[in-house]
Amino acid sequence: MILSQQEKVEYTEKMAEKNLTLIEEFILLGFSELPNFQGFLFVVLLVIYVSILLGNGLIIVISNMEPALQIPMYYFLANFSFVEICYTSVTLPRMLMNIWRQKRNISLLLCAVQLCFFLILAVTESFLLAVMAYDRYVAICKPLSYLLIMNHKMCFQMVIGSWVTGIPVLIGQTYQVFSVPFCGSNKLNHIFCDMPPLMKLTCGDTSGDEFFIYFDCVLFGLIPFLLILLSYIRILSTILKLPSTTGRYKAFSTCSSHLIVVCLFYGSGFIAYLQSKSSYSGTTDKIFSLFYIIVTPMVNPMIYSLRNKDFIEAMRKLFSKCVG
């Protein structure tokens, strides 16, 4: 039987509808390929999550209670620690629940909510890291004008700006991702609902969506990173001009903790996001994701507290009050 052109189009559309599976939920595979280590993994992740809550919570408490730490540097650090707690709480509790219940399904709505909050908090952290770099730049390069430039109003506006700048774009980005049909398997080869593994399950041509992902990476990742880089180029230039070795060491030591966190966060984030749909590797992405959702929030309190004499002294005072 010879079909007309219109009938061919209708037949093709019907076949496409049959092959298109309506996905109502995803299955987060996580580390299901390691069935014998699920109990061990649960304990490790639980310990890490508790340490993140306690460590970053301690930074927030001490930064607000100790008068000696009532300066912009610790104000930004306290806000950064709060973002780390929220950032981790979007992903880790769900991972723990999935391992405990051995039930890894998540609805499209919850997946979209998790992705949206994760992106907003990640962008907030990115901007806060840039704000903290600017704070160090002003402190080292313009010490006489530091308190004038970094006044309370300026600090508050920079923190609020870090929180709200990306919200409209990221809500739109999330809507765009979930407005594209998903087909085939509903198994999400990842530890949470993230952009790269979701794009892997979408149907048809997603080059436009990938373009917007790269655009967001440049706008909310690369630009803050370049601002951080520019700040540290200026800082390094100023430090090298200092006459005493002690002065150079002291100036650089105030920046080293921030630099370590920047390298961990941006290094793992860029590797995870700046890859195409075709080159996406689930195992590699899961490993690098652990760095920016677990490792950075976990080591942040240790990096900042153990390398900071003022913070160590403030902790001693707090503990002595508690014991006394």
Side-chain angles (χ1 to χ4, degrees):
M1 182 178 64
I2 301 174
L3 299 175
S4 66
Q5 185 64 31
Q6 181 62 30
E7 289 174 329
K8 288 181 180 179
V9 171
E10 291 176 356
Y11 177 78
T12 304
E13 289 176 351
K14 287 180 180 179
M15 290 304 294
E17 288 176 1
K18 288 181 179 180
N19 292 331
L20 184 66
T21 305
L22 181 62
I23 294 178
E24 296 181 351
E25 64 177 16
F26 292 111
I27 297 174
L28 289 165
L29 295 180
F31 295 100
S32 56
E33 69 271 18
L34 304 171
N36 297 327
F37 293 92
Q38 295 300 298
F40 173 76
L41 190 61
F42 178 84
V43 173
V44 170
L45 291 177
L46 181 61
V47 170
I48 289 174
Y49 184 50
V50 172
S51 67
I52 289 171
L53 295 179
L54 292 177
N56 287 283
L58 186 63
I59 287 179
I60 295 171
V61 171
I62 293 177
S63 298
N64 285 281
M65 289 183 62
E66 179 56 41
L69 302 183
Q70 300 298 308
I71 60 175
M73 174 181 174
Y74 295 103
Y75 174 72
F76 293 132
L77 179 58
N79 279 277
F80 183 76
S81 295
F82 177 70
V83 173
E84 294 275 52
I85 289 173
C86 298
Y87 185 61
T88 309
S89 297
V90 169
T91 54
L92 256 182
R94 183 82 197 190
M95 290 169 59
L96 289 168
M97 187 179 71
N98 289 345
I99 296 173
W100 179 261
R101 296 168 56 199
Q102 288 298 301
K103 192 177 179 183
R104 304 174 185 275
N105 59 309
I106 182 171
S107 67
L108 257 68
L109 178 60
L110 287 179
C111 189
V113 170
Q114 185 184 60
L115 175 65
C116 188
F117 276 102
F118 169 75
L119 292 176
I120 289 171
L121 290 165
V123 168
T124 302
E125 184 164 339
S126 178
F127 279 121
L128 272 178
L129 285 171
V131 166
M132 293 167 77
Y134 177 73
D135 172 67
R136 292 298 83 207
Y137 158 72
V138 177
I140 294 173
C141 301
K142 300 180 179 181
L144 298 179
S145 306
Y146 179 66
L147 293 178
L148 183 63
I149 297 173
M150 304 302 293
N151 55 67
H152 178 73
K153 182 180 178 181
M154 180 67 170
C155 294
F156 178 76
Q157 288 175 342
M158 293 173 82
V159 168
I160 293 299
S162 298
W163 274 96
V164 304
T165 299
I167 289 178
V169 177
L170 296 170
I171 290 176
Q173 181 74 76
T174 304
Y175 174 78
Q176 185 180 14
V177 170
F178 281 86
S179 64
V180 177
F182 297 96
C183 58
S185 174
N186 67 336
K187 293 180 179 179
L188 200 64
N189 189 21
H190 206 50
I191 53 180
F192 65 98
C193 289
D194 200 2
M195 196 79 77
L198 282 168
M199 295 302 297
K200 187 72 175 178
L201 298 182
T202 55
C203 303
D205 182 20
T206 58
S207 56
D209 295 321
E210 287 190 37
F211 170 78
F212 282 109
I213 292 175
Y214 295 142
F215 177 77
D216 287 349
C217 285
V218 171
L219 185 62
F220 300 127
L222 187 59
I223 290 178
F225 178 74
L226 291 176
L227 292 174
I228 293 170
L229 190 62
L230 179 61
S231 296
Y232 276 108
I233 290 173
R234 297 281 185 88
I235 289 170
L236 183 61
S237 176
T238 302
I239 289 175
L240 293 176
K241 293 176 183 177
L242 295 176
S244 66
T245 306
T246 305
R248 288 196 294 268
Y249 174 77
K250 186 177 180 180
F252 185 75
S253 65
T254 62
C255 305
S256 57
S257 301
H258 181 255
L259 276 171
I260 294 171
V261 175
V262 166
C263 291
L264 283 172
F265 179 77
Y266 282 103
S268 56
F270 282 145
I271 291 173
Y273 272 75
L274 295 181
Q275 56 180 319
S276 64
K277 178 179 174 180
S278 58
S279 63
Y280 170 76
S281 172
T283 304
T284 303
D285 194 51
K286 281 188 281 190
I287 293 171
F288 281 108
S289 295
L290 289 176
F291 276 90
Y292 58 79
I293 69 166
I294 293 178
V295 177
T296 303
M298 182 179 64
V299 302
N300 172 45
M302 293 183 285
I303 290 172
Y304 279 105
S305 60
L306 297 179
R307 297 175 63 87
N308 190 301
K309 292 181 180 179
D310 294 335
F311 204 89
I312 292 173
E313 184 61 30
M315 280 197 296
R316 285 175 181 170
K317 288 182 181 179
L318 180 64
F319 289 139
S320 62
K321 287 179 182 178
C322 294
V323 174

mmCIF file of all heavy atoms in Angstrom, residues 230-273:
data_model
loop_
_atom_site.group_PDB
_atom_site.id
_atom_site.type_symbol
_atom_site.label_atom_id
_atom_site.label_comp_id
_atom_site.label_asym_id
_atom_site.label_seq_id
_atom_site.Cartn_x
_atom_site.Cartn_y
_atom_site.Cartn_z
ATOM 1 N N LEU A 230 41.355 38.032 39.101
ATOM 2 C CA LEU A 230 41.812 39.408 39.000
ATOM 3 C C LEU A 230 42.152 39.971 40.381
ATOM 4 O O LEU A 230 43.170 40.667 40.551
ATOM 5 C CB LEU A 230 40.732 40.265 38.332
ATOM 6 C CG LEU A 230 41.047 41.762 38.169
ATOM 7 C CD1 LEU A 230 42.282 41.962 37.288
ATOM 8 C CD2 LEU A 230 39.844 42.505 37.578
ATOM 9 N N SER A 231 41.309 39.671 41.373
ATOM 10 C CA SER A 231 41.565 40.139 42.741
ATOM 11 C C SER A 231 42.891 39.610 43.252
ATOM 12 O O SER A 231 43.681 40.356 43.859
ATOM 13 C CB SER A 231 40.425 39.696 43.674
ATOM 14 O OG SER A 231 39.208 40.284 43.305
ATOM 15 N N TYR A 232 43.164 38.328 42.983
ATOM 16 C CA TYR A 232 44.395 37.735 43.506
ATOM 17 C C TYR A 232 45.634 38.161 42.722
ATOM 18 O O TYR A 232 46.742 38.145 43.264
ATOM 19 C CB TYR A 232 44.261 36.213 43.569
ATOM 20 C CG TYR A 232 43.573 35.779 44.838
ATOM 21 C CD1 TYR A 232 42.270 35.291 44.824
ATOM 22 C CD2 TYR A 232 44.206 35.908 46.065
ATOM 23 C CE1 TYR A 232 41.626 34.932 45.988
ATOM 24 C CE2 TYR A 232 43.578 35.539 47.238
ATOM 25 C CZ TYR A 232 42.294 35.051 47.204
ATOM 26 O OH TYR A 232 41.661 34.708 48.368
ATOM 27 N N ILE A 233 45.462 38.527 41.483
ATOM 28 C CA ILE A 233 46.591 39.105 40.738
ATOM 29 C C ILE A 233 46.997 40.433 41.373
ATOM 30 O O ILE A 233 48.193 40.712 41.587
ATOM 31 C CB ILE A 233 46.219 39.297 39.254
ATOM 32 C CG1 ILE A 233 46.104 37.937 38.549
ATOM 33 C CG2 ILE A 233 47.268 40.159 38.542
ATOM 34 C CD1 ILE A 233 45.573 38.019 37.135
ATOM 35 N N ARG A 234 45.994 41.248 41.712
ATOM 36 C CA ARG A 234 46.259 42.525 42.387
ATOM 37 C C ARG A 234 46.856 42.293 43.779
ATOM 38 O O ARG A 234 47.774 43.000 44.197
ATOM 39 C CB ARG A 234 44.951 43.319 42.503
ATOM 40 C CG ARG A 234 44.328 43.705 41.167
ATOM 41 C CD ARG A 234 45.026 44.899 40.549
ATOM 42 N NE ARG A 234 44.358 45.353 39.338
ATOM 43 C CZ ARG A 234 43.364 46.231 39.313
ATOM 44 N NH1 ARG A 234 42.874 46.723 40.439
ATOM 45 N NH2 ARG A 234 42.827 46.603 38.160
ATOM 46 N N ILE A 235 46.299 41.303 44.485
ATOM 47 C CA ILE A 235 46.786 40.984 45.834
ATOM 48 C C ILE A 235 48.244 40.531 45.787
ATOM 49 O O ILE A 235 49.085 40.987 46.572
ATOM 50 C CB ILE A 235 45.905 39.900 46.490
ATOM 51 C CG1 ILE A 235 44.538 40.477 46.849
ATOM 52 C CG2 ILE A 235 46.575 39.325 47.731
ATOM 53 C CD1 ILE A 235 43.517 39.444 47.272
ATOM 54 N N LEU A 236 48.564 39.625 44.852
ATOM 55 C CA LEU A 236 49.924 39.114 44.717
ATOM 56 C C LEU A 236 50.898 40.230 44.384
ATOM 57 O O LEU A 236 52.014 40.290 44.928
ATOM 58 C CB LEU A 236 49.957 38.025 43.636
ATOM 59 C CG LEU A 236 51.301 37.324 43.426
ATOM 60 C CD1 LEU A 236 51.739 36.612 44.696
ATOM 61 C CD2 LEU A 236 51.212 36.332 42.271
ATOM 62 N N SER A 237 50.475 41.125 43.495
ATOM 63 C CA SER A 237 51.323 42.260 43.133
ATOM 64 C C SER A 237 51.626 43.137 44.344
ATOM 65 O O SER A 237 52.765 43.600 44.533
ATOM 66 C CB SER A 237 50.626 43.089 42.044
ATOM 67 O OG SER A 237 51.367 44.242 41.730
ATOM 68 N N THR A 238 50.622 43.351 45.183
ATOM 69 C CA THR A 238 50.804 44.165 46.391
ATOM 70 C C THR A 238 51.677 43.453 47.418
ATOM 71 O O THR A 238 52.549 44.071 48.042
ATOM 72 C CB THR A 238 49.433 44.498 47.011
ATOM 73 O OG1 THR A 238 48.630 45.184 46.056
ATOM 74 C CG2 THR A 238 49.593 45.367 48.245
ATOM 75 N N ILE A 239 51.445 42.140 47.596
ATOM 76 C CA ILE A 239 52.216 41.372 48.582
ATOM 77 C C ILE A 239 53.700 41.370 48.233
ATOM 78 O O ILE A 239 54.567 41.514 49.110
ATOM 79 C CB ILE A 239 51.678 39.926 48.672
ATOM 80 C CG1 ILE A 239 50.307 39.911 49.358
ATOM 81 C CG2 ILE A 239 52.653 39.034 49.439
ATOM 82 C CD1 ILE A 239 49.651 38.546 49.387
ATOM 83 N N LEU A 240 54.028 41.216 46.952
ATOM 84 C CA LEU A 240 55.432 41.168 46.535
ATOM 85 C C LEU A 240 56.153 42.497 46.759
ATOM 86 O O LEU A 240 57.384 42.537 46.826
ATOM 87 C CB LEU A 240 55.519 40.772 45.056
ATOM 88 C CG LEU A 240 55.066 39.344 44.724
ATOM 89 C CD1 LEU A 240 55.112 39.105 43.224
ATOM 90 C CD2 LEU A 240 55.955 38.326 45.451
ATOM 91 N N LYS A 241 55.384 43.568 46.895
ATOM 92 C CA LYS A 241 55.980 44.886 47.134
ATOM 93 C C LYS A 241 56.208 45.172 48.605
ATOM 94 O O LYS A 241 56.853 46.168 48.951
ATOM 95 C CB LYS A 241 55.081 45.981 46.541
ATOM 96 C CG LYS A 241 54.991 45.950 45.019
ATOM 97 C CD LYS A 241 54.019 47.002 44.509
ATOM 98 C CE LYS A 241 53.876 46.922 42.994
ATOM 99 N NZ LYS A 241 52.863 47.903 42.487
ATOM 100 N N LEU A 242 55.691 44.310 49.489
ATOM 101 C CA LEU A 242 55.873 44.524 50.924
ATOM 102 C C LEU A 242 57.336 44.350 51.290
ATOM 103 O O LEU A 242 58.001 43.413 50.822
ATOM 104 C CB LEU A 242 55.006 43.550 51.729
ATOM 105 C CG LEU A 242 53.486 43.724 51.593
ATOM 106 C CD1 LEU A 242 52.755 42.629 52.359
ATOM 107 C CD2 LEU A 242 53.063 45.095 52.106
ATOM 108 N N PRO A 243 57.873 45.211 52.163
ATOM 109 C CA PRO A 243 59.308 45.171 52.464
ATOM 110 C C PRO A 243 59.743 43.971 53.301
ATOM 111 O O PRO A 243 60.826 43.424 53.094
ATOM 112 C CB PRO A 243 59.535 46.484 53.241
ATOM 113 C CG PRO A 243 58.191 46.826 53.807
ATOM 114 C CD PRO A 243 57.185 46.321 52.822
ATOM 115 N N SER A 244 58.905 43.526 54.237
ATOM 116 C CA SER A 244 59.324 42.450 55.149
ATOM 117 C C SER A 244 58.748 41.103 54.729
ATOM 118 O O SER A 244 57.633 41.019 54.210
ATOM 119 C CB SER A 244 58.870 42.759 56.581
ATOM 120 O OG SER A 244 57.464 42.730 56.679
ATOM 121 N N THR A 245 59.528 40.057 54.987
ATOM 122 C CA THR A 245 59.076 38.694 54.701
ATOM 123 C C THR A 245 57.903 38.317 55.580
ATOM 124 O O THR A 245 56.967 37.636 55.139
ATOM 125 C CB THR A 245 60.228 37.699 54.921
ATOM 126 O OG1 THR A 245 61.363 38.099 54.153
ATOM 127 C CG2 THR A 245 59.827 36.288 54.509
ATOM 128 N N THR A 246 57.950 38.762 56.839
ATOM 129 C CA THR A 246 56.865 38.480 57.784
ATOM 130 C C THR A 246 55.553 39.084 57.301
ATOM 131 O O THR A 246 54.496 38.453 57.370
ATOM 132 C CB THR A 246 57.200 39.034 59.182
ATOM 133 O OG1 THR A 246 58.456 38.517 59.608
ATOM 134 C CG2 THR A 246 56.125 38.663 60.189
ATOM 135 N N GLY A 247 55.629 40.307 56.797
ATOM 136 C CA GLY A 247 54.437 40.982 56.285
ATOM 137 C C GLY A 247 53.866 40.268 55.076
ATOM 138 O O GLY A 247 52.639 40.134 54.947
ATOM 139 N N ARG A 248 54.742 39.785 54.194
ATOM 140 C CA ARG A 248 54.286 39.061 53.011
ATOM 141 C C ARG A 248 53.621 37.748 53.400
ATOM 142 O O ARG A 248 52.585 37.371 52.853
ATOM 143 C CB ARG A 248 55.461 38.800 52.061
ATOM 144 C CG ARG A 248 55.955 40.044 51.338
ATOM 145 C CD ARG A 248 56.831 39.682 50.158
ATOM 146 N NE ARG A 248 58.081 39.050 50.576
ATOM 147 C CZ ARG A 248 59.205 39.698 50.809
ATOM 148 N NH1 ARG A 248 59.248 41.015 50.671
ATOM 149 N NH2 ARG A 248 60.300 39.053 51.162
ATOM 150 N N TYR A 249 54.223 37.050 54.372
ATOM 151 C CA TYR A 249 53.682 35.767 54.820
ATOM 152 C C TYR A 249 52.313 35.958 55.480
ATOM 153 O O TYR A 249 51.369 35.196 55.225
ATOM 154 C CB TYR A 249 54.631 35.097 55.809
ATOM 155 C CG TYR A 249 54.079 33.830 56.424
ATOM 156 C CD1 TYR A 249 54.064 32.633 55.711
ATOM 157 C CD2 TYR A 249 53.546 33.841 57.720
ATOM 158 C CE1 TYR A 249 53.542 31.476 56.266
ATOM 159 C CE2 TYR A 249 53.017 32.688 58.281
ATOM 160 C CZ TYR A 249 53.021 31.521 57.547
ATOM 161 O OH TYR A 249 52.497 30.384 58.098
ATOM 162 N N LYS A 250 52.197 36.980 56.327
ATOM 163 C CA LYS A 250 50.943 37.242 57.029
ATOM 164 C C LYS A 250 49.837 37.607 56.045
ATOM 165 O O LYS A 250 48.699 37.151 56.176
ATOM 166 C CB LYS A 250 51.137 38.369 58.047
ATOM 167 C CG LYS A 250 49.919 38.615 58.918
ATOM 168 C CD LYS A 250 50.191 39.686 59.950
ATOM 169 C CE LYS A 250 48.944 39.920 60.813
ATOM 170 N NZ LYS A 250 49.185 40.975 61.841
ATOM 171 N N ALA A 251 50.176 38.425 55.047
ATOM 172 C CA ALA A 251 49.184 38.842 54.058
ATOM 173 C C ALA A 251 48.715 37.656 53.222
ATOM 174 O O ALA A 251 47.516 37.500 52.949
ATOM 175 C CB ALA A 251 49.769 39.920 53.153
ATOM 176 N N PHE A 252 49.660 36.812 52.817
ATOM 177 C CA PHE A 252 49.287 35.666 51.991
ATOM 178 C C PHE A 252 48.519 34.625 52.793
ATOM 179 O O PHE A 252 47.627 33.957 52.246
ATOM 180 C CB PHE A 252 50.537 35.025 51.383
ATOM 181 C CG PHE A 252 50.222 33.909 50.417
ATOM 182 C CD1 PHE A 252 49.740 34.191 49.148
ATOM 183 C CD2 PHE A 252 50.384 32.578 50.790
ATOM 184 C CE1 PHE A 252 49.428 33.166 48.264
ATOM 185 C CE2 PHE A 252 50.079 31.552 49.907
ATOM 186 C CZ PHE A 252 49.609 31.852 48.637
ATOM 187 N N SER A 253 48.841 34.464 54.089
ATOM 188 C CA SER A 253 48.173 33.450 54.912
ATOM 189 C C SER A 253 46.685 33.749 55.077
ATOM 190 O O SER A 253 45.873 32.830 55.244
ATOM 191 C CB SER A 253 48.839 33.350 56.287
ATOM 192 O OG SER A 253 48.674 34.559 57.006
ATOM 193 N N THR A 254 46.303 35.041 55.030
ATOM 194 C CA THR A 254 44.890 35.398 55.141
ATOM 195 C C THR A 254 44.105 35.018 53.885
ATOM 196 O O THR A 254 42.884 34.965 53.917
ATOM 197 C CB THR A 254 44.719 36.910 55.390
ATOM 198 O OG1 THR A 254 45.245 37.638 54.271
ATOM 199 C CG2 THR A 254 45.435 37.343 56.650
ATOM 200 N N CYS A 255 44.811 34.760 52.791
ATOM 201 C CA CYS A 255 44.156 34.417 51.515
ATOM 202 C C CYS A 255 44.221 32.935 51.193
ATOM 203 O O CYS A 255 43.425 32.447 50.375
ATOM 204 C CB CYS A 255 44.807 35.195 50.368
ATOM 205 S SG CYS A 255 44.844 36.969 50.572
ATOM 206 N N SER A 256 45.158 32.212 51.790
ATOM 207 C CA SER A 256 45.405 30.828 51.383
ATOM 208 C C SER A 256 44.199 29.925 51.611
ATOM 209 O O SER A 256 43.896 29.061 50.778
ATOM 210 C CB SER A 256 46.626 30.282 52.135
ATOM 211 O OG SER A 256 46.431 30.377 53.543
ATOM 212 N N SER A 257 43.476 30.116 52.730
ATOM 213 C CA SER A 257 42.303 29.290 53.013
ATOM 214 C C SER A 257 41.242 29.474 51.931
ATOM 215 O O SER A 257 40.655 28.509 51.432
ATOM 216 C CB SER A 257 41.722 29.656 54.380
ATOM 217 O OG SER A 257 42.672 29.464 55.399
ATOM 218 N N HIS A 258 41.015 30.723 51.575
ATOM 219 C CA HIS A 258 40.022 31.035 50.540
ATOM 220 C C HIS A 258 40.425 30.433 49.201
ATOM 221 O O HIS A 258 39.589 29.904 48.471
ATOM 222 C CB HIS A 258 39.875 32.557 50.426
ATOM 223 C CG HIS A 258 38.870 32.989 49.413
ATOM 224 N ND1 HIS A 258 39.237 33.515 48.189
ATOM 225 C CD2 HIS A 258 37.508 32.959 49.410
ATOM 226 C CE1 HIS A 258 38.149 33.806 47.497
ATOM 227 N NE2 HIS A 258 37.094 33.486 48.204
ATOM 228 N N LEU A 259 41.706 30.483 48.873
ATOM 229 C CA LEU A 259 42.195 29.940 47.603
ATOM 230 C C LEU A 259 41.974 28.433 47.510
ATOM 231 O O LEU A 259 41.619 27.920 46.442
ATOM 232 C CB LEU A 259 43.687 30.255 47.435
ATOM 233 C CG LEU A 259 44.036 31.621 46.859
ATOM 234 C CD1 LEU A 259 45.538 31.872 46.949
ATOM 235 C CD2 LEU A 259 43.571 31.744 45.413
ATOM 236 N N ILE A 260 42.168 27.717 48.619
ATOM 237 C CA ILE A 260 41.973 26.267 48.632
ATOM 238 C C ILE A 260 40.518 25.928 48.332
ATOM 239 O O ILE A 260 40.209 25.047 47.520
ATOM 240 C CB ILE A 260 42.401 25.672 49.997
ATOM 241 C CG1 ILE A 260 43.908 25.837 50.206
ATOM 242 C CG2 ILE A 260 42.023 24.199 50.087
ATOM 243 C CD1 ILE A 260 44.388 25.486 51.598
ATOM 244 N N VAL A 261 39.585 26.648 48.988
ATOM 245 C CA VAL A 261 38.152 26.421 48.773
ATOM 246 C C VAL A 261 37.767 26.752 47.333
ATOM 247 O O VAL A 261 36.982 26.032 46.700
ATOM 248 C CB VAL A 261 37.316 27.246 49.769
ATOM 249 C CG1 VAL A 261 35.825 27.105 49.470
ATOM 250 C CG2 VAL A 261 37.604 26.815 51.197
ATOM 251 N N VAL A 262 38.315 27.837 46.796
ATOM 252 C CA VAL A 262 38.042 28.238 45.409
ATOM 253 C C VAL A 262 38.468 27.136 44.438
ATOM 254 O O VAL A 262 37.719 26.777 43.520
ATOM 255 C CB VAL A 262 38.765 29.561 45.067
ATOM 256 C CG1 VAL A 262 38.769 29.803 43.558
ATOM 257 C CG2 VAL A 262 38.086 30.731 45.771
ATOM 258 N N CYS A 263 39.655 26.594 44.631
ATOM 259 C CA CYS A 263 40.172 25.543 43.741
ATOM 260 C C CYS A 263 39.294 24.289 43.793
ATOM 261 O O CYS A 263 38.992 23.688 42.752
ATOM 262 C CB CYS A 263 41.609 25.200 44.111
ATOM 263 S SG CYS A 263 42.789 26.520 43.748
ATOM 264 N N LEU A 264 38.880 23.891 44.996
ATOM 265 C CA LEU A 264 38.040 22.704 45.146
ATOM 266 C C LEU A 264 36.678 22.902 44.485
ATOM 267 O O LEU A 264 36.198 22.039 43.737
ATOM 268 C CB LEU A 264 37.842 22.387 46.633
ATOM 269 C CG LEU A 264 38.999 21.722 47.366
ATOM 270 C CD1 LEU A 264 38.714 21.656 48.860
ATOM 271 C CD2 LEU A 264 39.258 20.319 46.825
ATOM 272 N N PHE A 265 36.052 24.044 44.739
ATOM 273 C CA PHE A 265 34.700 24.295 44.248
ATOM 274 C C PHE A 265 34.666 24.470 42.738
ATOM 275 O O PHE A 265 33.924 23.788 42.031
ATOM 276 C CB PHE A 265 34.125 25.534 44.941
ATOM 277 C CG PHE A 265 32.749 25.902 44.483
ATOM 278 C CD1 PHE A 265 31.641 25.193 44.936
ATOM 279 C CD2 PHE A 265 32.535 26.952 43.597
ATOM 280 C CE1 PHE A 265 30.357 25.534 44.514
ATOM 281 C CE2 PHE A 265 31.264 27.296 43.172
ATOM 282 C CZ PHE A 265 30.173 26.580 43.630
ATOM 283 N N TYR A 266 35.479 25.390 42.226
ATOM 284 C CA TYR A 266 35.433 25.687 40.794
ATOM 285 C C TYR A 266 36.044 24.561 39.959
ATOM 286 O O TYR A 266 35.554 24.265 38.863
ATOM 287 C CB TYR A 266 36.158 26.996 40.498
ATOM 288 C CG TYR A 266 35.349 28.213 40.835
ATOM 289 C CD1 TYR A 266 35.611 28.948 41.986
ATOM 290 C CD2 TYR A 266 34.302 28.645 40.022
ATOM 291 C CE1 TYR A 266 34.862 30.067 42.321
ATOM 292 C CE2 TYR A 266 33.551 29.756 40.341
ATOM 293 C CZ TYR A 266 33.833 30.460 41.486
ATOM 294 O OH TYR A 266 33.079 31.562 41.814
ATOM 295 N N GLY A 267 37.101 23.946 40.452
ATOM 296 C CA GLY A 267 37.752 22.864 39.701
ATOM 297 C C GLY A 267 36.800 21.718 39.419
ATOM 298 O O GLY A 267 36.612 21.297 38.272
ATOM 299 N N SER A 268 36.133 21.224 40.471
ATOM 300 C CA SER A 268 35.201 20.103 40.302
ATOM 301 C C SER A 268 33.945 20.528 39.551
ATOM 302 O O SER A 268 33.406 19.776 38.737
ATOM 303 C CB SER A 268 34.821 19.535 41.674
ATOM 304 O OG SER A 268 34.287 20.557 42.506
ATOM 305 N N GLY A 269 33.463 21.758 39.801
ATOM 306 C CA GLY A 269 32.251 22.238 39.134
ATOM 307 C C GLY A 269 32.421 22.396 37.639
ATOM 308 O O GLY A 269 31.557 21.984 36.855
ATOM 309 N N PHE A 270 33.534 22.980 37.207
ATOM 310 C CA PHE A 270 33.773 23.186 35.779
ATOM 311 C C PHE A 270 33.922 21.853 35.048
ATOM 312 O O PHE A 270 33.424 21.686 33.934
ATOM 313 C CB PHE A 270 35.021 24.039 35.565
ATOM 314 C CG PHE A 270 34.793 25.512 35.801
ATOM 315 C CD1 PHE A 270 35.788 26.299 36.341
ATOM 316 C CD2 PHE A 270 33.582 26.102 35.484
ATOM 317 C CE1 PHE A 270 35.576 27.660 36.565
ATOM 318 C CE2 PHE A 270 33.358 27.455 35.700
ATOM 319 C CZ PHE A 270 34.358 28.235 36.242
ATOM 320 N N ILE A 271 34.595 20.900 35.685
ATOM 321 C CA ILE A 271 34.778 19.590 35.049
ATOM 322 C C ILE A 271 33.429 18.892 34.866
ATOM 323 O O ILE A 271 33.154 18.269 33.835
ATOM 324 C CB ILE A 271 35.727 18.712 35.886
ATOM 325 C CG1 ILE A 271 37.157 19.276 35.828
ATOM 326 C CG2 ILE A 271 35.721 17.266 35.379
ATOM 327 C CD1 ILE A 271 38.135 18.591 36.743
ATOM 328 N N ALA A 272 32.552 19.030 35.879
ATOM 329 C CA ALA A 272 31.246 18.365 35.820
ATOM 330 C C ALA A 272 30.320 18.997 34.791
ATOM 331 O O ALA A 272 29.564 18.294 34.113
ATOM 332 C CB ALA A 272 30.587 18.394 37.202
ATOM 333 N N TYR A 273 30.364 20.327 34.651
ATOM 334 C CA TYR A 273 29.377 21.020 33.819
ATOM 335 C C TYR A 273 29.859 21.336 32.406
ATOM 336 O O TYR A 273 29.045 21.404 31.489
ATOM 337 C CB TYR A 273 28.934 22.317 34.511
ATOM 338 C CG TYR A 273 27.773 22.090 35.452
ATOM 339 C CD1 TYR A 273 27.960 21.469 36.676
ATOM 340 C CD2 TYR A 273 26.490 22.460 35.099
ATOM 341 C CE1 TYR A 273 26.902 21.239 37.541
ATOM 342 C CE2 TYR A 273 25.418 22.237 35.957
ATOM 343 C CZ TYR A 273 25.634 21.628 37.173
ATOM 344 O OH TYR A 273 24.585 21.389 38.013
#
